[in-house]
Amino acid sequence: MTDRQTDRQARLRRHTTLLAVAAVGMFGFAFALVPLYNIFCEITGLNGKTSGEAAPMAVSAPASQTAQDAVEREVTIQFLSQVSRGMPWEFRPTESRMRVRLGEVAETQYYARNFANKLFTGQAVPSVTPGYAARYLHKVECFCFTQQHLEASEEIDMPVYFYVGEDLPSDIGTLTLSYTMYPVSSAARETSGAAEQTTETMPMDHSEHSVP
Amino acid sequence: MIAHADTIPPARHPLIAWILRWILTTNHKEIGTLYLCFSFLMFIAGGAMAMVFRLELAQPGLQYLGADFYNQMVTLHGLIMVFGAVMPAFVGLANWMIPLMIGAPDMALPRLNNFSFWILPFAFFMLLSSLFMQGGAPNFGWTLYAPLSTTYGPPSTDYLIFGVHLMGISSILGAINIIVTIFNLRAPGMTLMKMPLFVWTWLITAFLLIMVMPVLAGAVTMMLTDRHFGTSFFSAAGGGDPVMFQHVFWFFGHPEVYIMILPGFGIASQIIPTFARKKLFGYNSMVYATASIAFLSFIVWGHHMFTTGMPLVAELFFMYMTMLIAVPTGVKVFNWVATMWRGAMTFETPMLFAVGFVVMFTIGGFSGLMLAIVPADFQYHDTFFVVAHLHYVLYPGAIFAMMGAIYYWLPKWCGNMYNERLGKIHFWTAVFGLNLTFFPMHFAGLGGMPRRIVDYALPFADLNLVSSIGAGILGLTQFLFLYIVVDAVRGGSGKATGQVWDSAEGLEWTLPSPAPLHTFHKPPQVD
Ligand code: HEM
Ligand SMILES: [Cu+2]
């Protein structure tokens, strides 16, 4: 081989390696999108996820006149519920809407009942609409912070204590708080010993669903 | 295409030798031919599925298919057309033409080239075999949205995932090969800014492929682990988010639609100057426009997700970025028209397809702009209007460009002219069938007919019948096309000269027709 050819061979190999590394890097980037997305959503409230932890009680005693005005503001909160497909529970809010004053702690109840003839564990996942309002809705206490273990035919009322931040943007007049009740999956079960022999992942059912 | 005795090991049964030659070939022209034949086969398979669901949609009500099978057909049609027909066809064309256009003896990595092709039949065997599995084929649309593909996906979804991995590997290897070839094997004097536009558009496409195919691979890998290994990337119950799937998918998906059209832009830019007998208008601006389209395609993915509850600022951002893409696209359309302006135009079949491409692709661009308007998209999203849009950019875009390219370069490949009269008939019937099929879909969509549903409301009956008739015509034209190509390969209407088209420019026309198996062993000098 002449010098020029070996030169070219080396350049070829270098380019090929670089491009292959770029492709592998992009594969990694796809996974990096997951934490990036979550951080982005947390900052912007993009996906309506609320904080998974209890908020401290609101500090009242408004400092200024503008804050005073804000305290006078009321918003409507709507409550929704959904039960995961095939889960043998009834799950619904006890009241569908209420008016709350900004900064004031309010209470509401969700009702749940297990129709199955054995213990069944569920986990409620909250979501707020509009999404960017999620960070103004502070839950002081919520059944969604823990799993719910219901015996056969057991029913309970589950309280939520929350307040809406005084800094809620003025264009939001109505907030919707929605909970979806999911059966606790096998992955989650490993970490919660209590539910060991009784909970079940819902069997996947391919026969009846149709349209994407 | 030419038997080469010297490459065949002696003393084997001729049939086995023939098969081995095609399996083991590392010649860019033979691999190009393999890609083209494979993609046509897939085109027919995907088309057959379209015939099945168009038959069902010809009348309201349920006649032949159940909802689930209808969804399987739509899903496989989309996946096969995108990954099996359009993409391999363009890779095949790149294999054939890029070395000839830049004066290289072959692709830079010939064995890798062989490997990237032979992955594909396995990938599609896997995908198609899902039709015969318990639970049926994947039925959640080519966009693979979670949780339809995770929680509710049929068992065969895993085969789809593996198939997508294989297709991804194939395209990435093909793209690496193309880039390395263009960067290293250009003939002396062929500077980057002298490269034919087809080479330029493919160079940029190859970079897009390397950037986004791995992201799709990542997305389906997450699907796989969500399905089987207890992760919750896309499951809200476990702290994940199904909407995130859409973000990851469209981060791949929008550049992907440009992967399917940029080589077509390149083809139009080769054909139009030849038959307008003028130099391409604005070569430099064509290159920059292509590069800016590629760049912008990474920051517009949100336009597929306007209705997922994005914040207003994000909607505005994606809306303006999407509309911005219309600017470089407009530059290209302007340049093509300017090239034709006052040219001594003749309308041989390749030119017909190129002009058809420019006109009808522009219609698709306009419906794209309508879809980009956020408040309007809330009405149009998930209706047949989107189906009309995507088929106007992909059929007269990608497919017409590809067919124009085949008519244009076929005489160079096989040494014979195709039958010009049949070529023209093919073009006009295809134009007729295509507009009959897809134009009414605009109205069905504006009227609110949702996509991906097996049945529809009665007022849409007439529009759908027209679409189905058009689809049948369009389906038949493919066989005319096949006949014309086979006829040309077997002699057609006479031998082609090396130049083929009197005012075509470029290195490929300096070679004899048919192009010998080995070309440019001594690099040509470009001035
Ligand atoms: C001016 C340029 C374009 C604009 C402004 C545009 C805009 C859009 C928008 C806003 C959508 C989403 C509609 C919805 O789902 O509600 C869409 C969908 C789509 N576009 Fe385009 N587009 C353009 C060019 C193209 C090109 C060149 C291609 C491909 C060659 C393409 C292929 C598609 C496809 C395949 C879909 C449907 C994806 C699906 O299955 O949901 N578009 N386009
Ligand atoms: Cu897009």
Side-chain angles (χ1 to χ4, degrees):
Chain A
M1 262 192 217
T2 65
D3 266 5
R4 259 199 64 199
Q5 270 174 319
T6 37
D7 254 21
R8 187 152 92 180
Q9 222 51 38
R11 221 155 61 109
L12 249 164
R13 198 157 309 144
R14 200 173 65 241
H15 285 169
T16 311
T17 321
L18 271 176
L19 292 170
V21 168
V24 174
M26 287 309 291
F27 185 68
F29 177 71
F31 288 86
L33 282 175
V34 178
L36 282 176
Y37 176 77
N38 286 336
I39 292 166
F40 192 73
C41 289
E42 219 159 278
I43 296 171
T44 59
L46 204 144
N47 58 355
K49 270 191 205 170
T50 56
S51 165
E53 275 149 42
M57 286 299 244
V59 208
S60 342
S64 66
Q65 191 52 44
T66 45
Q68 186 90 48
D69 291 344
V71 173
E72 298 300 313
R73 239 180 92 200
E74 283 194 348
V75 287
T76 304
I77 313 277
Q78 298 174 325
F79 301 100
L80 293 176
S81 70
Q82 253 180 306
V83 183
S84 182
R85 228 172 79 101
M87 185 170 171
W89 280 31
E90 180 182 354
F91 171 60
R92 57 177 163 79
T94 50
E95 51 195 328
S96 62
R97 62 174 65 224
M98 61 165 63
R99 299 276 295 168
V100 299
R101 200 169 297 166
L102 295 192
E104 206 174 79
V105 175
E107 187 205 341
T108 188
Q109 308 264 341
Y110 270 70
Y111 166 87
R113 174 164 178 202
N114 177 11
F115 290 124
N117 53 7
K118 57 185 176 186
L119 181 88
F120 205 102
T121 302
Q123 165 76 56
V125 176
S127 166
V128 173
T129 310
Y132 61 99
R135 60 179 142 160
Y136 304 103
L137 187 90
H138 306 282
K139 292 190 254 63
V140 179
E141 200 188 311
C142 175
F143 58 90
C144 59
F145 296 153
T146 55
Q147 296 181 351
Q148 312 300 319
H149 311 285
L150 292 198
E151 292 295 346
S153 307
E154 189 182 342
E155 50 188 336
I156 48 168
D157 281 321
M158 305 175 293
V160 190
Y161 295 91
F162 66 93
Y163 64 93
V164 180
E166 290 166 12
D167 45 356
L168 183 77
S170 55
D171 60 321
I172 304 178
T174 306
L175 283 173
T176 307
L177 176 58
S178 158
Y179 288 95
T180 307
M181 183 63 80
Y182 288 100
V184 171
S185 73
S186 47
R189 186 168 51 202
E190 274 152 32
T191 48
S192 67
E196 198 81 334
Q197 23 38 322
T198 38
T199 53
E200 269 179 9
T201 320
M202 293 316 297
M204 273 198 277
D205 173 356
H206 313 298
S207 55
E208 51 182 286
H209 94 280
S210 54
V211 183
Chain B
M1 321 201 71
I2 317 101
H4 253 246
D6 54 305
T7 59
I8 303 170
R12 277 219 180 90
H13 189 282
L15 182 68
I16 295 181
W18 185 84
I19 292 174
L20 278 182
R21 181 170 76 111
W22 284 101
I23 291 183
L24 299 176
T25 179
T26 56
N27 179 287
H28 73 99
K29 301 188 183 78
E30 294 188 333
I31 294 179
T33 304
L34 285 173
Y35 265 111
L36 291 174
C37 294
F38 177 78
S39 64
F40 189 74
L41 199 69
M42 288 294 115
F43 186 53
I44 294 299
M49 292 170 185
M51 292 303 111
V52 171
F53 60 67
R54 271 318 326 171
L55 185 68
E56 172 60 48
L57 290 174
Q59 294 168 55
L62 298 178
Q63 283 87 35
Y64 312 103
L65 316 181
D68 192 44
F69 191 68
Y70 175 86
N71 288 334
Q72 295 176 26
M73 285 289 105
V74 175
T75 304
L76 287 181
H77 164 76
L79 288 167
I80 286 175
M81 287 304 196
V82 169
F83 295 105
V86 175
M87 288 170 70
F90 281 137
V91 177
L93 201 60
N95 259 297
W96 248 106
M97 297 318 299
I98 287 178
L100 296 188
M101 290 178 140
I102 62 173
D106 203 317
M107 296 297 279
L109 311 164
R111 287 191 205 191
L112 195 71
N113 207 7
N114 172 291
F115 183 59
S116 9
F117 171 75
W118 282 108
I119 292 177
L120 283 181
F122 293 94
F124 284 91
F125 176 74
M126 204 137 8
L127 185 61
L128 284 172
S129 65
S130 64
L131 268 174
F132 306 100
M133 289 174 195
Q134 201 181 3
N139 54 2
F140 31 71
W142 81 281
T143 50
L144 317 178
Y145 278 8
L148 295 172
S149 58
T150 50
T151 315
Y152 305 112
S156 62
T157 307
D158 300 328
Y159 287 80
L160 174 148
I161 292 172
F162 196 48
V164 169
H165 279 140
L166 289 182
M167 294 164 208
I169 291 171
S170 168
S171 340
I172 291 166
L173 294 181
I176 291 179
N177 206 347
I178 286 168
I179 296 176
V180 174
T181 305
I182 295 175
F183 278 163
N184 294 287
L185 299 191
R186 272 171 292 129
M190 173 72 75
T191 57
L192 285 178
M193 289 312 273
K194 275 192 194 156
M195 293 196 310
L197 261 170
F198 178 70
V199 180
W200 254 116
T201 51
W202 240 117
L203 179 65
I204 293 167
T205 305
F207 274 108
L208 286 182
L209 278 168
I210 290 181
M211 301 279 284
V212 301
M213 286 311 285
V215 175
L216 175 67
V220 294
T221 307
M222 290 182 229
M223 256 167 69
L224 186 73
T225 59
D226 267 16
R227 284 168 61 82
H228 297 296
F229 304 113
T231 59
S232 311
F233 288 110
F234 309 129
S235 147
D241 187 345
V243 174
M244 191 182 69
F245 180 86
Q246 300 189 22
H247 283 287
V248 181
F249 182 86
W250 289 116
F251 183 84
F252 146 81
H254 190 81
E256 168 68 20
V257 307
Y258 280 96
I259 287 167
M260 293 191 281
I261 199 63
L262 292 186
F265 287 173
I267 291 164
S269 311
Q270 300 295 137
I271 296 178
I272 291 175
T274 297
F275 296 97
R277 292 172 180 77
K278 274 174 67 189
K279 273 210 142 21
L280 182 70
F281 184 88
Y283 172 94
N284 288 2
S285 63
M286 283 300 214
V287 173
Y288 298 133
T290 313
S292 17
I293 290 174
F295 171 75
L296 286 174
S297 71
F298 282 101
I299 46 173
V300 298
W301 79 87
H303 65 217
H304 297 277
M305 303 173 55
F306 285 145
T307 57
T308 54
M310 288 185 177
L312 189 64
V313 279
E315 288 179 337
L316 285 172
F317 172 80
F318 285 123
M319 171 165 100
Y320 286 127
M321 286 304 133
T322 304
M323 293 186 161
L324 203 55
I325 290 200
V327 176
T329 314
V331 168
K332 305 205 82 141
V333 173
F334 178 84
N335 285 352
W336 290 319
V337 174
T339 307
M340 290 187 262
W341 180 253
R342 300 204 160 156
M345 285 204 284
T346 51
F347 294 94
E348 285 85 346
T349 311
M351 183 62 162
L352 287 177
F353 275 95
V355 175
F357 166 93
V358 174
V359 172
M360 286 179 288
F361 172 79
T362 306
I363 298 178
F366 282 138
S367 55
L369 279 174
M370 290 172 69
L371 289 165
I373 303 167
V374 174
D377 184 67
F378 273 68
Q379 168 72 18
Y380 307 151
H381 181 64
D382 264 346
T383 68
F384 261 73
F385 192 79
V386 178
V387 179
H389 160 67
L390 75 93
H391 285 94
Y392 263 91
V393 284
L394 282 172
Y395 205 107
I399 309 283
F400 265 29
M402 194 61 220
M403 290 184 162
I406 290 173
Y407 282 113
Y408 187 54
W409 282 302
L410 189 65
K412 177 56 62 187
W413 298 341
C414 69
N416 305 316
M417 291 306 285
Y418 59 87
N419 184 329
E420 186 64 52
R421 214 166 64 90
L422 287 183
K424 290 203 166 91
I425 294 176
H426 172 210
F427 173 76
W428 288 110
T429 45
V431 167
F432 180 70
L434 134 75
N435 285 292
L436 206 59
T437 312
F438 300 118
F439 211 77
M441 291 183 186
H442 288 112
F443 304 117
L446 290 175
M449 176 176 163
R451 65 191 283 210
R452 292 176 175 167
I453 293 183
V454 64
D455 194 6
Y456 49 84
L458 287 178
F460 301 119
D462 292 347
L463 290 171
N464 276 284
L465 183 60
V466 173
S467 279
S468 287
I469 293 171
I473 295 172
L474 201 52
L476 289 178
T477 63
Q478 313 311 335
F479 296 99
L480 179 58
F481 173 66
L482 180 64
Y483 172 79
I484 297 171
V485 171
V486 172
D487 174 61
V489 171
R490 308 173 87 197
S493 47
K495 291 262 167 270
T497 61
Q499 178 64 30
V500 184
W501 310 108
D502 55 13
S503 41
E505 282 180 26
L507 289 176
E508 74 265 36
W509 310 111
T510 63
L511 297 166
S513 302
L517 195 62
H518 299 287
T519 40
F520 293 133
H521 259 292
K522 227 174 102 253
Q525 182 66 40
V526 181
D527 38 48

